Amino acid sequence: MEKRGIPTPMATSEPNPLTATRETDIATLDRVVIRFAGDSGDGMQLTGDRFTSAAAAFGNDLATLPNFPAEIRAPQGTIPGVSSFQVHFADYDILTPGDRPDVLVAMNPAALKANIADVPHGGAIIVNTDEFSKRNLTKVGYETNPLEDGSLEPYQVFPVAMSTLTRGALKDTGLSKKDAERAKNMFSLGLLSWMYHRPTEGTERFLAEKFAAKPDIAEANILAFRAGWNYGETTESFAVTYKVAPAKLPTGTYRQITGNTALAYGIVAAGQRSGLPVVLGSYPITPASDILHELSKHKNFGITTLQAEDEIAGIGAALGASYAGSLGVTSTSGPGVALKSETIGLGVMTELPLIVIDVQRGGPSTGLPTKTEQADLLQAMYGRNGECPVPVIAPSTPGDCFEMALEAARIALTYRTPAILLSDGSIANGSEPWLIPDVADLPDLAVNFAAEPNAMDGSEEFWPYVRDTDTLAREWAIPGTPGLQHRIGGLEKADNRGHISYDPDNHDRMVRLRQAKVDGITVPDVTVDDPSRNARVLALGWGSSYGPIGAGCRRVRKSGMDIAQAHLRYLNPLPSNLGEVLERYEVVVLPEMNLGQLAMLLRARYLIDIRSYTKVAGLPFKAAELAEVFTDIINDNEPGDNGDDVHVLTEATE
Amino acid sequence: MTATHLGLPELGGLAGVPVTDEPQRAKDYKSDQEVRWCPGCGDYIVLNTMQSFLPTLGLKPENIVFVSGIGCSSRFPYYMNTYGMHSIHGRAPAIATGLAVARPDLSVWVVTGDGDALSIGGNHLIHTLRRNVNLKILLFNNRIYGLTKGQYSPTSEAGKVTKSTPMGSLDNPFNPISLALGAEASFVARALDSDKKGLTEVLTAAAEHRGSAFVEIYQNCPIFNDGAFDVLKDRDEAARRIIPLRAGEPLTFGPENEYGVVRTRFGGLEVAKTSEITAEGGELVVHDPTINDPAYAFALSRIGGQELEHTPVGIFRNVARPTYDDLARQQVEHAKASKPADLQALLNGKDTWTV
């Protein structure tokens, strides 16, 4: 592409067809990355979210990356208090929220300082000059005002007195100066909406609904939003506006969705398709709480949500409900999984269905609550006492969370086992357009409870550990079923009969049976995207790194090199064709947001020397970064080594 | 035993649990598993009492579930011919909560011990009681860790010499009844393993109570803490020490009813000689477990100290209050009645666009 979404103050004679009140140039772009950054009290998440909704309603493809501090209100005006929201929208199918913003909206000096390094030279920076006081500059360590000292010369800076302009626009509302100023985020949204020809009706309707109980606040926000729009329209500061056409996505009806919402909907759908009531036992934890919030809104689907006294009680109640014949679900993040491990073990031993959702965040311990990471894989695989196999799956995009929640239910119900779903902070809070599935096409998850005695000796007894010969699942006899009274628990059980057994051979057999059951779970084959069929390097990934890896591969291919991509959504068991796929390529490179956990598992399993590329920075990989890694490997260099080989196009299409 | 009325629908603890006309006997509730507690263990008597008591409820046995944690007492479910889960240490109340919330047609019993319920599972215990989930908690209190072979427990007396405390334990023990009342449990009682009649009365009232019923059972461990409650089992000693809690009757005890319970100036309760009470124009306290303010029952629980000098036995508190599981089901039913379960509409949401 030739042009990026950078406002240029060049003169033009082409009229703006939308308003035709002032002459501005209209440039057409295929994609733009905008980052809204401000203090955590400035409402940047809401601003970004509204811009995203407008882009979605317009029909762009999009991906978002919210990035905010763990503190609810970190000290005002400081670097740790900066909250940002990046949105990438395009006229084609994009894979990531974008590496670097074309446009940075900085509401204060801290936001500028925290984000300037990510803005490429030539990029646009729109600043709220009102916040650039001596005091605020000193607070973040600026000795001189960057708006005046020439340090921003490589960028296109658009100084706008947003606080003053917002106050002015609201002077007749009767709001205090302070309250009026709070609407400055809507001013910035209005300005950007004008600049990118975004529809405005949705935002105005949203504001009216959100503040329905406080009409004066609703009015103030709408006025500020319009003032921002009008500012762009009437001042001479911005000579060019930009259009990004709707994306050519597969046909169908779309909506915008975050990973957490998609996961919650997947659980609702699993309840409907299995015909089972859903019981969610959960304890609030970042970044998984939104799943609890969302499911709590949908009790009309027969969903009971229980906010437990702790993580342990959350999963305990879920397992108790599963024992009772419901679909038990618990949602948490890594620290919560640590606490739930014992009950997951009980679920493995009692062989009851249970869905454990881990929205991974930075670790260890409390780590980085609001940042993303993929470092719970080994915890999910092995973080329990004894030989304790659990199926593990991982969605690859926000929308994929819906399908994978249904898959978690299928596996848990079919095989009578806890199943762990590994989402993470980036897809949980990130959003994208989602092709809404037709409910009639969703899988049938109906289950059969045991109703008859099943003793293998022909007696009228119920033996709880008699297995289905195909799935190795035991029968699920729920309390209330006459004649099938039985006892289960955490102690080792005799094969078939299910009484307590300390017999050495029996234990060996049961350990192997539980493992064989999980190993035998049916999962789809992994598919490989190798357009040239000439690649000798395979980029492999799992979970949320699908987007950056895919975007990195696109860049590599665009610069004339070959690379194949395969992505794992099923981690235990692994797809049965994976070994064969890995064998096909000379080099397998595996980027992970951990220190090489899946790489270690694959090396051990397939005796293949995976090239592990790792980064644990709390943020998703960038496409450019991975493109360079892939290029270096294709050129037979170590990543980071600057050889004289083919170079990747850094501005290539993602 | 009647409960106070708070204008709530009057539901018994077993409402919704299917009954049967088939005559039942104690042996119908015995499973085919050999009971493996130590000879002389108090758990045997409690098990026998339970197996004799359940037929009196006339419930379908398949609608009864016992959930336990870890410890000697937690083997209990294996010996009952009902549904049962022997779970993990301290977590039985949490698991049973899920069961009770999911299924109003089950009679749910939790069997636990002093270590299981008050140490590792303390949090689940108090939160289950505060929520008032419709399940019955039987806490077998032997004041010792038996399964791990004799360490002190959270109900052991301070200074107790055990394997893990050769120089004496340092912690102050819990009074389980006080703890349950602190969590505002709606039904709180104490019984002795050896008193089949008293235990059966308490179990009957617990079963009929809608909400969490907390029953502390003093239970002898003949191996690691033998005789902990002997003073309450010796006929003469028991008469001097046990304060029988009979609703509507004055709290008096002693071989000749020579002791009684009176109010202190500070709102507490204490034991005094009946003769002195009358001489001073004082008034004996008439027991009323339906008093809604838990302070009365709490004061009663403070009469009984660790040394068992005086020990109230029977039902301390029995009040009606909405149960968590009933309310949770009401919310779901209300939501279902007010909004159809239209999955496609949910997935579509408000803002869609078509390509």
Side-chain angles (χ1 to χ4, degrees), chain B residues 166-186:
Chain B
M167 296 169 74
S169 65
L170 303 173
D171 4 350
N172 192 47
F174 265 137
N175 176 328
I177 300 285
S178 299
L179 183 76
L181 288 164
E184 295 188 41
S186 56

Side-chain angles (χ1 to χ4, degrees), chain A residues 56-72:
Chain A
F58 187 66
N60 295 127
D61 193 13
L62 59 90
T64 66
L65 177 66
N67 189 8
F68 46 89
E71 294 78 14
I72 302 303

